[in-house]
Amino acid sequence: MQIPALLEASQNEAPLQYRPSTFFAEQLTAFEVWLKHGQVTRQPPEQLPIILQVLLSQVHRMRALVLLSRFLDLGAWAVNLALSVGIFPYVLKLLQSPAVELRPVLIFIWARMLAVDHDCAQDLAKENGYLYFVNVLSPSQPTPPQQQVAASLSEHRAMCAFVVSIFCRHADAGRRAGNEHRLPGEIGDGERSPDAGFLSHGAGRNSHGCTTPPGELMYMSLDALGDGPAPR
C-alpha cells in the first residue's frame, strides 16, 4: 500500500516516489500459468475478467492480447466464455487503434470470435470497423518491417478474408459494404497472392503460439461468400 507513504511524504514536503502497481502484471503471469497447466480442466480462469481490464492499459495491452488469443484458440467453449464476460466491446474499440504492432493478434482474435459467433459481425459496421480488415486485403497496403517479422502477410490476409466474408454474409450492412468496396474480389486476390502455397498447408503455430491453420480460414471465407467451396 503506497497511500500512507505518499501522504507522509506530502506532509513533510518530501519528493513523492510513486511505484507502479504490479497487480496487472501478476494477473497476466497467473493467466499464462493457467494456459500452460490449467486448461485441461476447462475450469474458467479467474483472471479472465481482469485480463479484459488490462486491455485498457497501454503498458500491458500487447501481452494481454497475445494471452487472450491463446485462450481463444482453445476452442469454441473458450470463445463463448470470453464473450460472456464482456470481451467484445474491448476488441471492437481496439479496431480504432492505429498501432500496427497490435494488428496480427487483433486479426486472429476477430477470426476466432467470428468462427464461433457470426452475430459479432453486426457491430463491424460501427465506425467502419470492417475497414480494419479490408485495408489489410488491399494489395497496396504497406507492410512495416516489424510486421513482416511477426507473421507473413498471407497469414494476415487469410484471416482478414474470413472476417470480411462473414461480415458480408451475416451483417445487415455487410452486403452494401461488399458492393461498395468490391470485397469479394479483394478476397479472391488474396488467395492468389505470392504466398498462396503457404495458405494451402499453413497448419502449425502462428506468431502468437496459436494453432489455427490460415489456409482453412481462407477456404472458409470463400465458402461464406456463397460462391461454393474453394478448390483445394
Side-chain angles (χ1 to χ4, degrees):
M1 295 292 293
Q2 301 185 62
I3 294 180
L6 291 174
L7 290 175
E8 182 180 354
S10 176
Q11 293 173 355
N12 298 331
E13 297 183 356
L16 301 179
Q17 296 182 348
Y18 175 75
R19 298 188 302 275
S21 172
T22 60
F23 174 76
F24 285 143
E26 292 171 353
Q27 293 300 307
L28 288 173
T29 299
F31 189 45
E32 189 170 12
V33 171
W34 185 93
L35 287 170
K36 291 179 179 178
H37 305 291
Q39 57 174 287
V40 293
T41 64
R42 290 198 178 184
Q43 291 294 324
E46 296 178 356
Q47 300 80 19
L48 187 57
I50 300 174
I51 298 302
L52 302 185
Q53 296 296 321
V54 179
L55 296 179
L56 300 175
S57 168
Q58 292 186 358
V59 176
H60 302 292
R61 181 176 294 160
M62 185 63 190
R63 184 185 176 195
L65 284 172
V66 170
L67 293 177
L68 182 59
S69 71
R70 289 173 54 188
F71 177 71
L72 298 181
D73 201 39
L74 297 178
W77 70 272
V79 175
N80 287 326
L81 180 60
L83 290 172
S84 70
V85 299
I87 180 182
F88 189 75
Y90 293 90
V91 293
L92 181 63
K93 186 65 176 179
L94 286 177
L95 294 182
Q96 305 303 319
S97 172
V100 176
E101 64 272 14
L102 300 181
R103 187 182 298 165
V105 66
L106 273 178
I107 291 172
F108 179 85
I109 287 173
W110 271 92
R112 291 299 296 161
M113 288 196 311
L114 291 181
V116 174
D117 189 347
H118 294 167
D119 290 340
C120 294
Q122 294 287 348
D123 285 326
L124 281 177
K126 294 181 178 179
E127 300 183 19
N128 294 326
Y130 67 93
L131 292 178
Y132 189 90
F133 308 98
V134 173
N135 290 336
V136 177
L137 291 174
S138 173
S140 60
Q141 175 72 8
T143 305
Q146 63 266 35
Q147 187 179 356
Q148 290 177 335
V149 173
S152 75
L153 183 57
S154 289
E155 181 181 351
H156 295 165
R157 284 180 172 170
M159 289 185 281
C160 284
F162 174 70
V163 170
V164 172
S165 65
I166 294 298
F167 172 67
C168 288
R169 184 169 186 178
H170 295 278
D172 295 336
R175 291 292 187 185
R176 295 191 299 272
N179 292 331
E180 179 181 352
H181 296 281
R182 299 177 60 204
L183 298 185
E186 295 280 6
I187 293 175
D189 290 342
E191 186 196 16
R192 293 186 292 273
S193 66
D195 294 331
F198 169 77
L199 293 175
S200 64
H201 47 277
R205 291 190 175 272
N206 63 18
S207 57
H208 315 300
C210 302
T211 56
T212 300
E216 288 300 314
L217 291 174
M218 175 62 77
Y219 296 129
M220 292 165 64
S221 71
L222 294 175
D223 289 346
L225 283 173
D227 295 330
R232 298 197 178 225

